[in-house]
Amino acid sequence: MNEKRGADMTTARKDAETPVDAGPPVTESPSSTAAEAAEPSEKAARRRPTGRLEAMALPLTWLAVIVVFSILETDTFFTSANAASILASQAVLVVVTLGLIVPLIAGDFDLSIGSVVGMSALVIAILNVQHGWNIWAAVVVALLAGIVVGLINGMLTVLLGIDSLIVTLGMSTLLAGVALWISGANTITGVDQTLVDVVISYRLFGIPMEFYYAIIFALVLWYVFAFTPLGQRLLVVGRNREVARLSGMRVSTLRIGALVTSAFVAALGGVLIAGTSGSAGPTTGLDLLLPAFAAAFLGSTTIKPGRFNPWGTVIAVYFLVTGITGLQLLGLQSFVQNIFYGGALILAVSFSQIIRRRRMKQGF
């Protein structure tokens, strides 16, 4: 009796565990299981060629532009003198744009970089030429002034919660006014030849040293973002500040540090300008703002699409100047520069947004 009752209870328990409409058990074939397991890898494989094409699109376009202008203007464009001129003349823009991408990576904007460049060059010229300071002492003061500007930008943005666009735009206008005031609206010439020698007179393979300074700085910045915890933290802060904060990162410190770095590097660009021209004026550096943003956003569409990165920035700067130089050699007027930079900025921002949205849909 007890055995029968136990058997009935076991049967009822099995019936309860089995769905009423469940059919016979379905056995998955090895081929279907393998197909499901391979599906993510196949999708990744299909995405890989597209990703490589995106990453190499700008360098290949740059190469094509060089080839086209070399054919059209063989005597003027395709010369070692023109190549050296292009590489050296844009070294300041490369340095300034590399500094700009640091706060951009952290999710902030710095519109004061052009004015900081001019302020730095002007401080060097005034102290060295008008007050007789040693050139290197003047350079140190100029760099310290850049750090102070960056600290003010950072504290107003982070501690008071003011949008970085507003803060840095106001700072840019303020510094432009100060430059007019302290220079008397005059260009100051006669910067110590020592600085000029270090920046442009000394050459390697026929190219002024300022180009190599820019490449070394790009290498350092690449190493920081690729291999150091600081670089990785900045990337996380730029993607999601709340996640970074919950992960224990000092988000405020990192953002302030990024804006200080941007201003310091802009001041370093001012040193290079003072050494390149041997002079500084109230409008020095102001024309770098648009090209820097154009190159930064265009650079985010190559090498590592969807992310501001040093080597993409370098390629973007030289792609833009190559196109402008070639068009001017063909006889177009100087207005082509503004058209080229403005158009490049609009297209680069559009492309970067498209890439970012597509990657978000793909789960990147």
Side-chain angles (χ1 to χ4, degrees):
M1 187 76 169
N2 291 335
E3 291 177 358
K4 184 178 180 182
R5 185 178 302 161
D8 293 340
M9 292 176 65
T10 303
T11 303
R13 189 162 53 247
K14 288 181 177 178
D15 291 341
E17 292 173 353
T18 304
V20 176
D21 57 348
V26 178
T27 304
E28 293 185 358
S29 65
S31 60
S32 64
T33 305
E36 290 177 2
E39 187 176 355
S41 61
E42 288 176 0
K43 286 182 179 179
R46 285 196 298 269
R47 283 195 299 264
R48 214 169 286 132
T50 305
R52 290 198 192 102
L53 183 61
E54 287 178 356
M56 295 305 296
L58 186 62
L60 292 175
T61 305
W62 182 27
L63 180 60
V65 168
I66 292 173
V67 171
V68 169
F69 284 127
S70 297
I71 295 172
L72 295 176
E73 293 289 334
T74 306
D75 296 335
T76 53
F77 185 87
F78 193 63
T79 62
S80 58
N82 185 52
S85 174
I86 289 175
L87 292 176
S89 65
Q90 299 305 306
V92 175
L93 180 57
V94 171
V95 170
V96 171
T97 310
L98 287 171
L100 173 64
I101 68 172
V102 177
L104 286 176
I105 287 173
D108 287 305
F109 289 84
D110 187 356
L111 299 181
S112 66
I113 52 171
S115 294
V116 174
V117 169
M119 176 203 68
S120 172
L122 203 53
V123 165
I124 292 172
I126 289 174
L127 293 179
N128 177 243
V129 177
Q130 295 185 346
H131 298 281
W133 281 43
N134 176 274
I135 186 62
W136 301 118
V139 166
V140 170
V141 172
L143 295 178
L144 289 175
I147 292 174
V148 170
V149 170
L151 279 172
I152 295 172
N153 285 340
M155 288 188 293
L156 290 175
T157 299
V158 176
L159 300 183
L160 296 184
I162 307 173
D163 193 288
S164 58
L165 280 169
I166 303 300
V167 171
T168 56
L169 179 60
M171 180 60 72
S172 176
T173 307
L174 173 65
L175 292 178
V178 170
L180 279 169
W181 172 37
I182 63 177
S183 67
N186 296 314
T187 298
I188 301 171
T189 61
V191 172
D192 196 318
Q193 186 63 32
T194 304
L195 182 60
V196 177
D197 289 341
V198 170
V199 174
I200 61 170
S201 295
Y202 299 148
R203 294 171 176 254
L204 181 63
F205 305 116
I207 303 173
M209 291 304 298
E210 61 179 337
F211 166 73
Y212 299 101
Y213 301 150
I215 296 303
I216 291 171
F217 181 54
L219 184 64
V220 170
L221 204 60
W222 165 76
Y223 179 83
V224 169
F225 284 116
F227 299 107
T228 68
L230 174 61
Q232 298 303 310
R233 291 190 189 110
L234 279 172
L235 289 171
V236 175
V237 168
R239 289 176 179 174
N240 194 317
R241 288 174 186 166
E242 190 59 31
V243 169
R245 189 175 290 107
L246 293 174
S247 301
M249 298 181 189
R250 298 179 177 178
V251 175
S252 297
T253 303
L254 288 168
R255 291 177 64 197
I256 292 173
L259 286 166
V260 170
T261 301
S262 177
F264 172 78
V265 175
L268 194 59
V271 175
L272 293 178
I273 279 190
T276 300
S277 63
S279 63
T283 60
T284 299
L286 296 181
D287 58 345
L288 292 174
L289 182 62
L290 177 60
F293 270 92
F297 278 94
L298 187 60
S300 70
T301 66
T302 188
I303 307 300
K304 289 184 176 293
R307 179 190 300 179
F308 297 103
N309 64 91
W311 295 121
T313 297
V314 173
I315 291 171
V317 168
Y318 286 112
F319 165 76
L320 290 171
V321 72
T322 300
I324 291 170
T325 302
L327 291 173
Q328 289 178 342
L329 289 175
L330 288 175
L332 294 182
Q333 301 298 320
S334 58
F335 62 77
V336 71
Q337 181 169 320
N338 290 335
I339 294 175
F340 211 83
Y341 282 134
L345 179 58
I346 294 171
L347 291 175
V349 172
S350 302
F351 287 150
S352 63
Q353 283 296 102
I354 292 170
I355 292 171
R356 186 174 302 172
R357 289 177 181 175
R358 190 175 69 216
R359 286 176 172 258
M360 287 176 65
K361 289 180 181 178
Q362 293 174 345
F364 283 94

